[in-house]
Amino acid sequence: NLSDRMQMALRRVRGKGRLTENDIEEMMKEVRLSLLEADVNFKVVKSFTKEVKEKALGEKILKGLNPGQQVVKIVNDELTKLMGEKTALLELNLTGITKIMMVGLQGAGKTTTAGKLANLVRKTNNLKPLLVALDIYRPAAIEQLKTIGQQLDIDVFELGIFVKPSVIIAKAMVYAEQNGHNLIIADTAGRLHIDEKMMQELVEVKEILKPHEILLTVDSMTGQDAVTVASSFNEQLSVTGAILTKLDGDTRGGAALSLRQVTQIPIKYMGMGEKLDQLEVFHPERMASRILG
Amino acid sequence: IDSNSKFDDDFFDELEEIFIMADIGVNTVVKFVAHLRSEIELNKTESSDDVKDLIVEEMFKLYVKDEIVSSNLDILDDRLNIVLFVGVNGVGKTTTIGKIAYEYLNKGKKVMMVAGDTFRAGAIEQLKIWSERVKCSFYSKEEGSDPSSVIYDAIQLAKETSVDLLLIDTAGRLQNKINLMKELEKVNKVIGREVPEAPHETLLVIDATTGQNGLVQAKVFNEVTDITGVVLSKLDGTAKGGIALGIKDELNIPIKYVGLGEKIEDLEPFDIEEYIYGLFA
Ligand SMILES: Nc1nc2c(ncn2[C@@H]2O[C@H](COP(=O)(O)OP(=O)(O)OP(=O)(O)O)[C@@H](O)[C@H]2O)c(=O)[nH]1
Ligand SMILES: Nc1nc2c(ncn2[C@@H]2O[C@H](COP(=O)(O)OP(=O)(O)OP(=O)(O)O)[C@@H](O)[C@H]2O)c(=O)[nH]1
Ligand SMILES: [Mg+2]
Ligand SMILES: [Mg+2]
């Protein structure tokens, strides 16, 4: 882990007094390697280690007092600060219907997370959720969402696979109004940020739904591409939050830092398993220490 | 690389950046770029065209390692062939089965799909729809059945109905879930008992957007099954799937196919030269 690597780098540091710029640079090499292995984006690693180096130099660390630990602490603090120092909350509409739209690449975990989120928000905020099936492409996507709805005893609105998503969402909003639903969570089909036609479909759904939250679902094992994907979704839709899934795996999750650093999108939740109660509020310090390994 | 570039530190830094951003993995990249650099200095390579050729040649060598690497599947006439699909959640296993069924039906093979994912909502129905799209036979039991029993029954039926190719879908599972890896180990044993030498292929589906964890996935899945190839899915996105090169480098598992979209024809046999050029596109 990073502490061990710092110790190794420090074996090359000689003499007394303050750590020199060269000593710090040796340690930054270890930080860079560790972050790249954790899947943090190459350019983010560059700018992050630059910041950390300046901080470390500014703190005038003495060689005698376990400098490795002090630098690790600076890295950890800077990382936690970047992840967002306090937990980011969901934007709830306290006077009407809260509307949420789930977006992201294929297979990221949107459908499962839509169910988890409806379940969590219903409990913590005592709302009556409506799940809306807007994926008319993937085989059995609607069945998947309906099954999830049944397992949670949450209503699912769907109009089958031959009606356009923009029409489905419009009718869903009317249905929600008429049936006392004060929370709408729209599940959309997975799509590539470079698929113009499919991204345009999301823009149209957004224009009709006018969601309070557009949540980008990101697989926590995503590598260098996380920045490209998040930036593109953000540019085209103005994403309001992210959900990192499959954090019950053993990936270090550096995509979280890249996402945050480049787009400033706050990470709001973490998917911690396949069951519908396995969604937790995002903890920045836990993510920071996980990325550092 | 333009025709005026000098091969200095900046050039090699930039090359490292391209390879790291392709998710190839720091250790493989550093090793490779250092080797490239010494080759260029040794041969006193001058022109940018020569350097381009050298890069392609060296990446090719890194992948091939002096062996014949084929992207063909071990599917023979006159026997029941079994292909097992494994991988973590959401990577494209079920969709890839649809694509491979389509390919082999067009080659005149009798194909059967097995719904080995008895757990996830809508999983059985999803595979059933694929079997209807390609028009091949399909076997499943009720949701919640033991996957090994579904697969056992499917193999008996496949033998009775002279199926040429049995494609087995499994539930997505993260490699650190010990009980799920044990379940997969049991599935593998059942297949091997019922058909000698089976599964003839065990394909690990890897999402092209996956970072360094892809290598861990390959290592652990290879402990409970004999992974014969990787399907690199979603290569139609912007990710380069470089971790598959890392998997070949460290475990010598070849890439058999690349997934290039969500439709039935969006699958191609892997071509290392095409892939290398794609890194610079
Ligand atoms: N272990 C684990 N699996 C998850 C988590 N979230 C989702 N999954 C699994 O990931 C796979 C994909 O989930 P889906 O909900 O179908 O993903 P999706 O984004 O809706 O997929 P598309 O609609 O095809 O784009 C399924 O096997 C889920 O059970 C998580 O937090 N942990
Ligand atoms: N763009 C693109 N999407 C793909 C590709 N392969 C699969 N997908 C999509 O990825 C999503 C997940 O595919 P599945 O086949 O359900 O993945 P899986 O591995 O079976 O998922 P689980 O069974 O939940 O673990 C679906 O939306 C597919 O359409 C590909 O090559 N390109
Ligand atoms: Mg979905
Ligand atoms: Mg599947």
Side-chain angles (χ1 to χ4, degrees), chain A residues 36-37 39 42-43 106-107 138-140 144 192-194 221-225 246 248-251 274, chain B residues 17 20-21 23 26 89-90 119-121 126 174-177 209-213 217 234 236 238-239 262:
Chain A
L36 284 175
E37 285 176 3
D39 289 324
F42 188 88
K43 300 198 167 83
Q106 292 90 343
R138 168 173 155 156
Q144 183 186 8
L192 297 177
H193 46 298
I194 52 173
M221 63 187 85
T222 307
Q224 297 290 313
D225 202 45
K246 310 175 200 171
D248 47 320
D250 56 20
T251 192
E274 288 193 79
Chain B
E17 182 169 336
I20 289 179
M21 305 263 321
D23 287 313
V26 192
N89 306 70
F119 166 76
R120 205 208 69 211
Q126 183 185 5
L174 298 181
Q175 69 277 13
N176 55 317
K177 306 278 167 111
T209 65
T210 307
Q212 299 307 298
N213 195 253
Q217 291 171 22
K234 310 181 198 172
D236 47 316
T238 49
E262 301 185 75

Side-chain angles (χ1 to χ4, degrees), chain A residues 182-197:
Chain A
N182 44 23
L183 171 66
I184 291 177
I185 299 182
D187 179 28
T188 66
R191 70 203 63 217
L192 297 177
H193 46 298
I194 52 173
D195 186 333
E196 292 185 10
K197 201 151 146 281

Side-chain angles (χ1 to χ4, degrees), chain B residues 155-213:
Chain B
I155 292 175
Q156 310 317 317
L157 182 62
K159 285 178 179 173
E160 288 164 22
T161 57
S162 314
V163 165
D164 297 317
L165 177 61
L166 195 63
L167 303 175
I168 303 179
D169 195 10
T170 62
R173 67 203 68 221
L174 298 181
Q175 69 277 13
N176 55 317
K177 306 278 167 111
I178 300 187
N179 57 327
L180 295 180
M181 297 312 280
K182 280 244 167 285
E183 176 185 87
L184 188 58
E185 190 172 41
K186 180 170 170 227
V187 157
N188 194 37
K189 286 206 168 80
V190 165
I191 296 172
R193 264 201 333 253
E194 296 307 307
V195 177
E197 303 187 354
H200 304 97
E201 291 275 354
T202 300
L203 299 180
L204 175 67
V205 182
I206 297 264
D207 187 323
T209 65
T210 307
Q212 299 307 298
N213 195 253

Side-chain angles (χ1 to χ4, degrees), chain A residues 112-155:
Chain A
T112 309
T113 306
K116 290 177 178 180
L117 190 60
N119 189 29
L120 185 64
V121 179
R122 163 175 66 172
K123 290 195 186 127
T124 53
N125 299 89
N126 198 15
L127 295 176
K128 185 178 177 207
L130 179 69
L131 289 165
V132 184
L134 298 184
D135 183 350
I136 61 172
Y137 311 98
R138 168 173 155 156
I142 296 179
E143 280 82 345
Q144 183 186 8
L145 191 64
K146 279 171 72 176
T147 300
I148 288 172
Q150 282 161 13
Q151 289 171 354
L152 294 172
D153 190 24
I154 289 180
D155 287 346

